[in-house]
Amino acid sequence: MNKFSIFGKMHWLPVVVSILAFFISCTEPPHTPKDLLKEALIPQPVFVEADGSSFSLTDKTAIVLLNGESSEDPEGAEKVGRYLAGLLKPATGFDVQVRTSGSESDDGNIYLQLNDSSPSGIAESYELSIMENRVKLTAGDPAGLFRGIQTLRQLLPPSIEKNTPQQGPWEIATGTIRDSPAYPYRGGMLDVARHFFKVEDVKKYIDYLAMYKMNALHLHLSDDQGWRIEIKSWPELTTRGGSTEVGGGEGGFYTQEEFKEIVQYADDRYIMVIPEIDMPGHTNAALASYAELNCDDKLRELYTGIEVGFSTFCTDKEVVYKFIDDVFGELAGLINGPYIHIGGDESHVTALEDYIPFVNRVQEIVKSHGKQVIGWDEIANATLLPNTKVQYWAEAENAKKGIAQGAEVIMSPARKVYLDMQYDSTTRLGLHWAAYIEVDSSYIWDPATLENGIEKQHIFGVEAPLWTETIDKLDDLEYMVFPRLPGVAEIGWTPASERNWADYRLRLGAQKKRFEALGIDYYPSAKVPWSDTLVTRPVQ
Ligand code: TNX
């Protein structure tokens, strides 16, 4: 017998293949979720009911828009459907069809339905029913459909986040989720003044906000170190004021076209952009661009350090108000949302008797352009217009002065949600003037009980600011934002009664694979049980 005949006939091949397959399947068991209650979602939905089976997304699955009862924004559902198809495409490789139909059936499709009223009556709420042979997502507004899609996304295996085709199966545990936000406003702030961030980076940030159901991007567009938005009537603001940044780098600015692109990208994700032009302090970049904004008519030097509180507009010069009117007039034309942020913080070299009439007059200017004012908590020392909102960051007493005037408060307590604060003394980035903020500390607080006298009914929502004195690239931004941002998003969305750190840390730990699939440079805090396998949480 030919001693090679056994190899020649290849009898061994199927055996080796099945042994290999066995080992591969042992190391990477397919994610076959059966219990919706054990899925690690962030923010935790308000209501979850499991029914013990699973739905499978396949190359046959279509996204079907049901003719709902919605009269307004009929294109909304289609836009969200296309977004979902786009989200699913890279990792599954499926060309998911988006089409319209009058009825639904058990055909393995995902149905989207927009009704005139949402199940809860609250904006952005949704109901997601996952059945063995179909998924149905219903909402009262397109934003609700969009938020529901983020839930669906998190129920799929983390590999759904990769941008190249991955191995399925794409299964989701069956059951029902009914969900709505605790607060109408949930935002992230990005300081593009201290260090400039390109349009592409801002879009990434918007995607991160969207993933956790946040609905506002506050852009800090001007400060001592830079002016970042083109104002056609005052061109030196960007040619000179935008030409540098902290540390002396080249800075940059958004043309109005680029800014509109950012606004549109955010709008497609049901996120409003709130532009901030900080004043009367934090204005050195403007004071270095136009001499007439200074009381002494002398142009200031560009500034690339990180001190605060040394600059001020000349509050009793008429040209200053003409300038502000021009700036806010142009800005108002670039945004879709109702708010313009006027800053107002740390005006240490503006006398209070100048500061108050200044803020009063600037509110009127914003109003004249059809927008409402948001300002840092110091503005509550002025007389607030009826719709003005106060952003609490440092002084609870200021926020309470705002509440006494009937203003709603945005909660951004520096010691809890300033994402530029170091996690601990060894963090290579960030500051620590407010606190070292570990992941547990940024999660364990409740906006409605943090300060006596600031209660749920006074609060518009929460916002996590990222100041960028020490942050100049996307990887570093991600390191400070992840994993604290998802926690702030949950504080804004999930009722306090449904939140606890013991459960949250498990759900956060289960995001590891998702962060990795997205290429996010997160801080691997020792407070969190990061888990490679999708360890699902114990259900209480
Ligand atoms: C305080 S928060 C500031 C910012 C700084 C930040 C650094 C606020 C309204 N003002 O100008 O960038 O601290 O953490």
Side-chain angles (χ1 to χ4, degrees):
M1 189 174 113
N2 179 335
K3 60 180 175 171
F4 295 115
S5 70
I6 183 165
F7 297 102
K9 285 185 182 158
M10 303 264 256
H11 288 315
W12 50 276
L13 194 60
V15 180
V16 172
V17 167
S18 43
I19 291 172
L20 268 177
F22 175 77
F23 278 109
I24 290 169
S25 68
C26 284
T27 49
E28 280 282 337
H31 179 66
T32 308
K34 292 272 186 206
D35 187 350
L36 194 58
L37 284 167
K38 289 192 177 167
E39 290 299 309
L41 294 165
I42 298 177
Q44 176 62 27
V46 175
F47 172 87
V48 182
E49 189 176 64
D51 70 9
S53 186
S54 59
F55 167 86
S56 203
L57 180 92
T58 70
D59 58 354
K60 311 262 174 336
T61 303
I63 296 167
V64 182
L65 314 171
L66 281 174
N67 297 321
E69 297 145 25
S70 173
S71 41
E72 53 178 271
D73 198 6
E75 294 95 57
E78 183 174 350
K79 201 168 108 182
V80 176
R82 295 202 181 287
Y83 169 91
L84 175 58
L87 197 70
L88 299 174
K89 167 102 212 231
T92 63
F94 304 157
D95 258 317
V96 184
Q97 303 294 307
V98 181
R99 53 184 166 78
T100 306
S101 168
S103 62
E104 54 183 294
S105 63
D106 275 336
D107 50 8
N109 290 333
I110 299 172
Y111 290 88
L112 306 186
Q113 181 162 19
L114 201 54
N115 290 330
D116 256 345
S117 56
S118 76
S120 67
I122 299 172
E124 302 176 272
S125 53
Y126 67 91
E127 180 172 315
L128 180 62
S129 305
I130 304 145
M131 296 155 265
E132 260 180 38
N133 296 312
R134 97 189 105 121
V135 171
K136 185 174 180 184
L137 175 60
T138 322
D141 52 12
L145 290 179
F146 188 86
R147 307 296 174 236
I149 276 169
Q150 301 308 319
T151 302
L152 196 62
R153 172 184 186 177
Q154 288 191 24
L155 291 171
L156 284 160
S159 52
I160 195 69
E161 305 295 352
K162 298 231 172 138
N163 51 20
T164 52
Q166 306 293 311
Q167 191 63 50
W170 306 102
E171 294 178 329
I172 306 173
T174 54
T176 302
I177 293 178
R178 279 186 217 107
D179 208 5
S180 54
Y183 291 98
Y185 182 95
R186 306 165 313 279
M189 190 212 79
L190 181 59
D191 170 7
V192 293
R194 268 53 175 273
H195 281 104
F196 182 65
F197 285 83
K198 302 187 297 282
V199 172
E200 287 316 304
D201 295 342
V202 176
K203 287 183 177 174
K204 259 273 171 71
Y205 201 57
I206 291 170
D207 279 329
Y208 295 152
L209 297 175
M211 193 152 67
Y212 298 104
K213 303 186 172 71
M214 290 188 137
N215 64 4
L217 171 68
H218 166 184
L219 281 177
H220 185 75
L221 289 170
S222 70
D223 212 301
D224 292 321
Q225 300 86 348
W227 184 286
R228 308 299 178 203
I229 176 74
E230 176 192 23
I231 300 295
K232 293 189 195 283
S233 51
W234 296 78
E236 296 287 319
L237 287 172
T238 42
T239 50
R240 184 169 159 79
S243 66
T244 190
E245 59 184 10
V246 168
E250 66 181 14
F253 66 91
Y254 310 116
T255 63
Q256 295 199 353
E257 285 309 309
E258 287 171 329
F259 193 74
K260 280 195 214 157
E261 191 183 319
I262 291 172
V263 168
Q264 185 60 49
Y265 193 83
D267 196 64
D268 289 343
R269 285 149 185 78
Y270 300 91
I271 290 175
M272 67 173 149
V273 171
I274 299 172
E276 176 184 352
I277 301 295
D278 203 348
M279 60 183 70
H282 289 278
T283 43
N284 189 75
L287 301 171
S289 305
Y290 287 98
E292 60 265 48
L293 303 175
N294 296 282
C295 286
D296 60 8
D297 282 316
K298 291 207 179 86
L299 211 53
R300 296 294 180 265
E301 294 290 320
L302 292 169
Y303 180 70
T304 59
I306 64 167
E307 293 303 311
V308 294
F310 61 86
S311 56
T312 185
F313 280 153
C314 190
T315 56
D316 44 34
K317 267 187 163 184
E318 218 31 53
V319 65
V320 166
Y321 299 95
K322 161 89 175 93
F323 168 82
I324 294 168
D325 188 50
D326 288 343
V327 169
F328 285 160
E330 290 193 34
L331 260 188
L334 301 176
I335 56 174
N336 303 336
Y339 306 109
I340 286 182
H341 201 300
I342 64 167
D345 58 312
E346 298 174 318
S347 275
H348 301 323
V349 294
T350 322
L352 193 60
E353 62 265 32
D354 295 332
Y355 178 87
I356 290 172
F358 175 84
V359 171
N360 289 345
R361 191 156 167 195
V362 171
Q363 288 181 93
E364 292 294 345
I365 295 173
V366 171
K367 187 180 167 191
S368 76
H369 293 291
K371 300 296 176 193
Q372 298 168 25
V373 172
I374 303 178
W376 298 109
D377 61 48
E378 289 95 325
I379 68 157
N381 291 296
T383 306
L384 302 181
L385 286 182
N387 287 317
T388 294
K389 296 194 175 12
V390 173
Q391 185 164 10
Y392 164 58
W393 66 282
E395 294 293 333
E397 286 315 309
N398 284 338
K400 286 185 233 172
K401 282 183 198 167
I403 289 168
Q405 296 190 60
E408 283 191 311
V409 177
I410 294 171
M411 295 296 284
S412 299
R415 65 188 190 277
K416 288 293 182 189
V417 296
Y418 265 31
L419 301 181
D420 63 318
M421 292 297 119
Q422 292 170 290
Y423 294 99
D424 63 27
S425 63
T426 68
T427 311
R428 74 186 163 82
L429 302 161
L431 309 172
H432 58 258
W433 64 264
Y436 293 114
I437 311 180
E438 248 298 352
V439 182
D440 54 350
S441 173
S442 68
Y443 181 80
I444 304 171
W445 67 285
D446 177 16
T449 57
L450 187 71
E451 301 286 356
N452 282 330
I454 307 181
E455 282 153 30
K456 178 103 204 275
Q457 75 267 24
H458 307 130
I459 300 174
F460 186 39
V462 293
E463 183 182 298
L466 181 67
W467 302 100
T468 59
E469 284 93 336
T470 63
I471 295 146
D472 68 354
K473 52 179 168 297
L474 190 64
D475 286 350
D476 291 350
L477 178 154
E478 289 175 347
Y479 189 80
M480 300 310 275
V481 163
F482 286 96
R484 291 180 290 196
L485 184 81
V488 182
E490 176 153 309
I491 289 170
W493 183 280
T494 308
S497 57
E498 302 300 308
R499 288 195 280 110
N500 70 79
W501 168 249
D503 176 55
Y504 176 71
R505 64 195 283 276
L506 299 177
R507 283 184 285 121
L508 184 56
Q511 305 300 308
K512 178 171 188 269
K513 284 262 168 187
R514 212 163 281 274
F515 292 165
E516 287 170 358
L518 284 160
I520 292 174
D521 263 295
Y522 66 100
Y523 161 62
S525 168
K527 306 269 181 185
V528 180
W530 300 106
S531 128
D532 257 335
T533 51
L534 287 176
V535 176
T536 48
R537 63 198 189 107
V539 176
Q540 294 93 358

